[in-house]
């Protein structure tokens, strides 16, 4: 197993403190929008709700309501054929920020791009170099 950056250069990740894996940090600032900031809810009045709900399934704003947002961590993983990488988000993002991870498992030669949905009431702002999770390397010991 080895880790590469976006330019294909081998890099070393810091060992995680609380899990047997490696820390994953953001490579750029990001804002994960809250679902309540969707344009569908702007200026909505309870009396207008029946009118707004007409064409509910075709509403372009609602189609993106719970679309996951991809976070760029600038990391590519090269694994042995019997390994996979499991991404585990930090507890702060899940419990306090109300972010839900959509994809968790990455294979060899994949770029690690965690995707989150914000179920909180506020936008979540994350700065570059913020630790967002831990990548664990799972080795398959099963003989076929």
């Amino acid at each position: 197993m080895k880790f590469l950056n976006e330019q294909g250069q081998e890099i070393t990740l810091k060992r995680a403190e609380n899990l047997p894996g490696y820390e994953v940090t953001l490579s750029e600032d990001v804002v994960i929008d809250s679902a309540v900031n969707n344009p569908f809810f702007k200026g909505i009045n309870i009396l207008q709700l029946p009118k707004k709900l007409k064409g509910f399934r075709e509403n372009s704003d609602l189609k993106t309501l719970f679309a996951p947002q991809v976070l760029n961590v600038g990391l590519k993983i090269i694994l042995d054929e019997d390994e996979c990488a499991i991404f585990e988000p930090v507890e702060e993002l899940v419990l306090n920020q109300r972010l839900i991870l959509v994809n968790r498992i990455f294979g060899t030669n994949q770029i690690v791009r965690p995707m989150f949905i914000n179920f909180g009431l506020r936008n979540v702002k994350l700065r570059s170099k913020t630790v967002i999770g831990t990548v664990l390397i799972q080795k398959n010991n099963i003989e076929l």
Side-chain angles (χ1 to χ4, degrees):
M1 151 209 51
K2 63 181 174 177
F3 302 106
L4 307 175
N5 64 12
E6 292 173 323
Q7 291 77 33
Q9 301 163 329
E10 191 168 346
I11 59 172
T12 304
L13 295 181
K14 181 180 174 187
R15 296 288 289 189
E17 294 177 12
N18 59 345
L19 290 172
Y22 304 90
E23 286 185 353
V24 176
T25 59
L26 282 175
S27 61
E28 60 191 16
D29 293 350
V30 67
V31 175
I32 303 173
D33 291 328
S34 170
V36 295
N37 289 334
N38 188 287
F40 177 82
F41 298 113
K42 298 289 184 205
I44 198 167
N45 180 328
I46 192 73
L47 299 174
Q48 296 173 334
L49 196 56
K51 182 180 176 183
K52 271 225 173 231
L53 289 177
K54 288 184 181 177
F56 183 79
R57 293 177 193 262
E58 289 77 34
N59 188 303
S60 60
D61 293 328
L62 285 179
K63 287 181 181 180
T64 62
L65 182 61
F66 293 116
Q69 185 164 343
V70 177
L71 302 187
N72 185 14
V73 296
L75 178 65
K76 183 176 181 179
I77 299 179
I78 307 295
L79 299 167
D80 295 337
E81 76 176 41
D82 61 343
E83 293 177 330
C84 73
I86 302 169
F87 179 81
E88 185 62 33
V90 294
E91 197 172 79
E92 158 71 15
L93 295 179
V94 176
L95 296 179
N96 298 337
Q97 303 294 335
R98 305 292 191 250
L99 297 180
I100 303 299
L101 181 67
V102 176
N103 59 337
R104 185 172 301 272
I105 298 177
F106 298 92
T108 192
N109 290 327
Q110 275 192 303
I111 297 173
V112 177
R113 289 192 175 119
M115 294 188 295
F116 287 92
I117 298 174
N118 184 350
F119 282 104
L121 299 176
R122 292 182 170 45
N123 290 348
V124 174
K125 296 176 186 175
L126 300 172
R127 299 215 179 268
S128 176
K129 306 295 183 218
T130 300
V131 176
I132 61 166
T134 302
V135 67
L136 307 158
I137 307 303
Q138 175 71 43
K139 190 167 187 77
N140 182 4
N141 295 327
I142 299 173
E143 294 285 330
L144 297 177

